[in-house]
């Protein structure tokens, strides 16, 4: 019977493979080949990096369809990745409101948690929209020309 590999070991194997591949990235399949881990172990290793190692080592983990997973401090790559993730999260929250919570509120009006849930979801959607806007190219150009002190 195979021994279970601890999460931090999977994370470190994936992290080291990504560091060795710099400045390029690696697909999940390639990470599996390079590390000798199964696809599910690679996913667990990536989760470990996101949850622990990225912050501990100041090594941002990003993903793109073109390059796969990579550790990068390139501001443009980080901006694009952050914009993509916040944009996707915004869409998911809006779809949750429109597809589940609001229709439920129409069927069962007056539920006290519905108003609270909608207030919280609206706040989350607004925050995600602002975060997505901040990472957009046009915002970046406006902030450079506006002369705003940072």
């Amino acid at each position: 019977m195979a021994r279970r590999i601890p999460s931090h070991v999977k994370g470190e194997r994936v992290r080291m493979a990504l560091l060795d591949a710099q400045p390029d990235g690696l697909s999940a399949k390639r990470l599996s080949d390079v590390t000798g881990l199964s696809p599910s172990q690679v996913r667990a290793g990536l989760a470990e990096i996101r949850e622990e190692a990225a912050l501990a080592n100041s090594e941002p983990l990003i993903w793109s369809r073109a390059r796969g997973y990579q550790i990068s401090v390139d501001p443009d790559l980080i901006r694009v990745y952050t914009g993509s993730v916040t944009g996707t999260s915004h869409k998911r929250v809006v779809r949750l409101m429109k597809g589940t919570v609001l229709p439920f509120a129409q069927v069962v009006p007056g539920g006290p948690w519905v108003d609270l849930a909608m207030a919280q979801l609206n706040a989350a959607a607004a925050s995600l929209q602002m975060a997505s806007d901040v990472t957009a190219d046009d915002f970046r150009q406006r902030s450079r020309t506006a002369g705003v002190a940072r």
Side-chain angles (χ1 to χ4, degrees):
M1 181 173 192
R3 252 180 83 199
R4 183 181 167 285
I5 301 172
S7 294
H8 71 280
V9 173
K10 291 181 262 193
E12 190 62 15
R13 285 188 190 175
V14 171
R15 182 177 157 269
M16 294 311 296
L18 291 171
L19 289 172
D20 288 345
Q22 282 184 324
D24 297 322
L26 297 171
S27 68
K29 169 79 170 100
R30 187 74 183 118
L31 277 169
S32 184
D33 294 342
V34 168
T35 61
L37 297 172
S38 70
S40 66
Q41 289 171 325
V42 167
R43 285 190 298 276
L46 290 165
E48 177 69 19
I49 292 171
R50 284 188 189 105
E51 294 170 7
E52 303 293 336
L55 184 58
N57 298 300
S58 300
E59 297 169 342
L61 176 65
I62 61 174
W63 178 86
S64 71
R65 186 166 292 157
R67 292 183 163 189
Y69 293 96
Q70 66 185 122
I71 292 173
S72 176
V73 293
D74 181 318
D76 289 330
L77 294 176
I78 299 296
R79 181 187 52 77
V80 168
Y81 178 71
T82 303
S84 174
V85 171
T86 55
T88 299
S89 298
H90 175 260
K91 286 178 191 171
R92 292 183 74 177
V93 169
V94 169
R95 288 175 180 158
L96 173 64
M97 289 188 301
K98 288 181 173 181
T100 304
V101 180
L102 286 173
F104 178 77
Q106 290 173 337
V107 173
V108 184
W113 73 268
V114 172
D115 293 336
L116 180 59
M118 282 306 299
Q120 294 296 322
L121 290 169
N122 275 317
S127 294
L128 288 166
Q129 182 63 56
M130 286 189 301
S132 183
D133 290 348
V134 166
T135 61
D137 279 329
D138 61 329
F139 181 87
R140 193 166 152 227
Q141 293 302 322
R142 284 190 313 242
S143 67
R144 280 188 186 161
T145 59
V148 176
R150 292 181 188 207

